[in-house]
Amino acid sequence: MSRMIYPCLWFDDQAAEAADFYTSIFPKSKILEKNAIAVRFEVFGTFMMGLNGGPKYQQTQASSYFVYCGTEVDIDELYTSLLEGGKAIFPLGTYPWSPKYAWVTDRFGTNWQLDADPVRSAQKIVPCLLFVNENRSRAREAMEFYLGIFPESTKLVEAPHPDSEDLLFAQVKLEGYLINLMSSMETHDFGFSPGNSLVVPCEDQAEIDFFWEKLGEGGHYDRCGWLTDRFGHSWQIIPKDLGQWISDPQKGQQAINALLKMDKLIIDDLKNPA
């Protein structure tokens, strides 16, 4: 993958506990880094981050994570573990789209779609954006919007609703990173939330400027490199070395102080804070 886009999961103060749980039940998983604010970890070989953001936001069913189990994961065992203290949106069973499938909200509020099918990719966990309510007919628009922004991106799967041209399901590859898009014609009591975001690490200021402007166009620009796109989905546009700068024993706190004052992130001011 040419760019390591990755999901960020928002927790009140349970990021480390959640990461420990996930790395204990998924294969090919490990904790990479922990601090008071965030934990970076791999689940089934896929990089993720948990953020201790406080009670302001919660995760949402509009953002879930497909787990393509194949033969590498015991889907029954994983389902049982994730269901403990959580709830089943779709209980484990056979459905028209999969011989064995489940949708579970775990006890930390994270949504997982477990699929017995394999995926022809090293990336076994795939973020899924569900377009609902006023966004229900915008999945195709969103797909084309994202494909038009990320270079070297492609459409892999496209399945319309049986009775319309609106997309029921699509899978795209954004610079080598898989993302699923779905839509629902039903009315739901949830939508996108900053509780689930996608992080775009950038090589230089030109890349930050580009993704900040393009993804935020028609949406809303927030603090600390966060933005909400025109569909309501949240992204973080950051320098790839941000973690290194804010962890520096001499200048780390100054870098954090500078970060907290910014909307779009400025590399020079983070790397060499006043």
Side-chain angles (χ1 to χ4, degrees), residues 110-234:
T110 306
N111 283 270
W112 305 91
Q113 297 193 55
L114 311 181
D115 197 324
D117 286 338
V119 63
R120 296 183 185 90
S121 171
Q123 182 189 337
K124 308 297 185 183
I125 295 183
V126 179
C128 180
L129 312 185
L130 177 62
F131 293 78
V132 298
N133 303 333
E134 68 274 7
N135 272 336
R136 66 184 62 177
S137 63
R138 302 185 73 191
R140 185 182 301 279
E141 178 189 352
M143 177 182 70
E144 298 297 343
F145 179 68
Y146 300 144
L147 288 172
I149 291 174
F150 289 89
E152 299 181 22
S153 298
T154 185
K155 183 192 317 176
L156 300 177
V157 178
E158 184 176 349
H161 279 278
D163 55 353
S164 77
E165 288 301 309
D166 294 332
L167 281 182
L168 175 63
F169 177 88
Q171 186 176 85
V172 299
K173 185 177 283 189
L174 304 181
E175 293 196 61
Y177 190 78
L178 296 175
I179 294 178
N180 292 343
L181 299 92
M182 297 172 58
S183 66
S184 171
M185 296 298 106
E186 299 178 8
T187 299
H188 297 278
D189 61 356
F190 58 80
F192 292 126
S193 161
N196 301 88
S197 59
L198 287 172
V199 183
V200 182
C202 298
E203 290 286 341
D204 53 32
Q205 191 63 48
E207 283 198 352
I208 288 177
D209 294 347
F210 174 81
F211 287 110
W212 180 260
E213 295 301 326
K214 293 295 184 180
L215 283 168
E217 185 179 346
H220 177 72
Y221 297 105
D222 297 304
R223 301 289 281 177
C224 304
W226 289 65
L227 63 84
T228 304
D229 68 27
R230 64 183 64 178
F231 309 101
H233 185 262
S234 292

Side-chain angles (χ1 to χ4, degrees), residues 229-245:
D229 68 27
R230 64 183 64 178
F231 309 101
H233 185 262
S234 292
W235 300 79
Q236 298 181 54
I237 314 301
I238 67 167
K240 66 179 181 62
D241 295 325
L242 178 62
Q244 174 185 326
W245 300 333

Side-chain angles (χ1 to χ4, degrees), residues 21 25 76-86 104 106-107:
F21 174 60
I25 64 173
D76 297 87
E77 186 176 314
L78 185 58
Y79 174 75
T80 299
S81 297
L82 289 170
L83 191 59
E84 185 177 348
V104 180
D106 69 27
R107 65 178 182 264

